[in-house]
Amino acid sequence: MSEPILVIGPTSGIGSKLVTKLESWRMPYLTAGRHDADLPFQADGQPRWDDLPEKLGGLIYCPGSILLKPFHRFSDADFLADFELNALGAVRAIRAALPALKAAESASIVLFSTVAVAQGMSFHSSIAMAKGAVEGLTRSLAAELAPKIRVNAIAPSLTDTPLSEPLLNSAQKREAAEKRHPLQAVGDPEDVATLAAFLLSNTSKFITGQVMRPDGGLSSVKLF
């Protein structure tokens, strides 16, 4: 792949691991983030899209949120904030990058969902609603942008990243989280980054419209 991948949200968690993975796979990339980015964010929170190259081989939108509480305690502002960051943020990024993606011979878009869309979970109503929209966007754009641009999503379970630190910050919390998964572990960001790099690469050239689930079996397997 000669055209660069645009990585939005490269400084932490899965995004950081992905940048390292792209380097090891010798896939060119550029980044957009609030700190130390090739495409710095403006005051309104949007990247400086005028700095995009003429062609992009791919786009991955990594920003996400984890706001968990009982449904009756969520405000309209909570739901809107999750939707704004997770769904509309992805929409704006794709819209801005689409001319450069279309100019490439072929391209790949990768978005992030969550296991909580496929597996109903208490206290996840806001993020599940926002990421459910991301999954719908993934399938719709996969149809609309085929055959030149592939669009897929990754829906991990709880992954050991800074975003998840409050849910894993004690031995008891980590053990309980591991036991909820058939594979008896929480997600490794390195594994999710490897899947993302695969979906961005030409190795996955026959895959589109899919929601890949590195979730330790949580959404599909019941041991007993």
Side-chain angles (χ1 to χ4, degrees):
M1 178 181 292
S2 58
E3 293 86 7
I5 304 293
L6 174 57
V7 181
I8 301 180
T11 59
S12 182
I14 295 167
S16 176
K17 296 290 186 182
L18 174 62
V19 165
T20 301
K21 188 68 61 177
L22 294 177
E23 289 176 352
S24 69
W25 288 15
R26 298 184 179 179
M27 295 174 64
Y29 69 90
L30 64 154
T31 61
R34 287 176 173 81
H35 305 286
D36 302 323
D38 299 331
L39 298 172
F41 276 68
Q42 301 178 93
D44 64 357
Q46 295 303 307
R48 289 215 316 261
W49 297 117
D50 55 320
D51 290 341
L52 284 174
E54 291 184 3
K55 295 181 180 181
L56 284 172
L59 163 71
I60 182 165
Y61 185 81
C62 299
S65 55
I66 303 178
L67 180 60
L68 308 181
K69 54 186 175 181
F71 173 75
H72 70 273
R73 289 178 51 198
F74 279 109
S75 66
D76 285 1
D78 291 329
F79 279 102
L80 286 170
D82 273 344
F83 192 82
E84 178 83 19
L85 175 65
N86 292 278
L88 280 180
V91 166
R92 291 171 181 141
I94 295 168
R95 182 190 295 135
L98 196 54
L101 293 166
K102 286 182 174 179
E105 184 176 347
S106 63
S108 173
I109 296 171
V110 176
L111 305 177
F112 277 95
S113 181
T114 170
V115 66
V117 175
Q119 179 71 48
M121 296 181 176
S122 298
F123 311 133
H124 285 67
S125 56
S126 182
I127 188 61
M129 187 176 80
K131 292 298 195 182
V134 171
E135 292 195 11
L137 177 67
T138 297
R139 296 186 179 98
S140 293
L141 288 184
E144 185 171 337
L145 300 179
K148 199 168 189 181
I149 301 174
R150 297 179 294 105
V151 187
N152 295 287
I154 299 172
S157 184
L158 185 63
T159 304
D160 193 358
T161 67
L163 187 64
S164 303
E165 194 273 337
L167 304 175
L168 298 169
N169 59 6
S170 71
Q172 293 82 3
K173 287 182 180 180
R174 180 175 288 273
E175 182 180 5
E178 291 173 346
K179 286 183 176 179
R180 284 195 294 272
H181 295 80
L183 292 183
Q184 302 290 284
V186 296
D188 183 339
E190 180 82 18
D191 294 341
V192 181
T194 300
L195 176 58
F198 165 72
L199 290 173
L200 289 165
S201 75
N202 290 331
T203 308
S204 61
K205 63 184 179 181
F206 202 53
I207 300 174
T208 195
Q210 302 301 307
V211 179
M212 314 292 276
R213 306 192 185 280
D215 61 12
L218 187 60
S219 68
S220 57
V221 174
K222 187 174 182 180
L223 296 181
F224 303 104

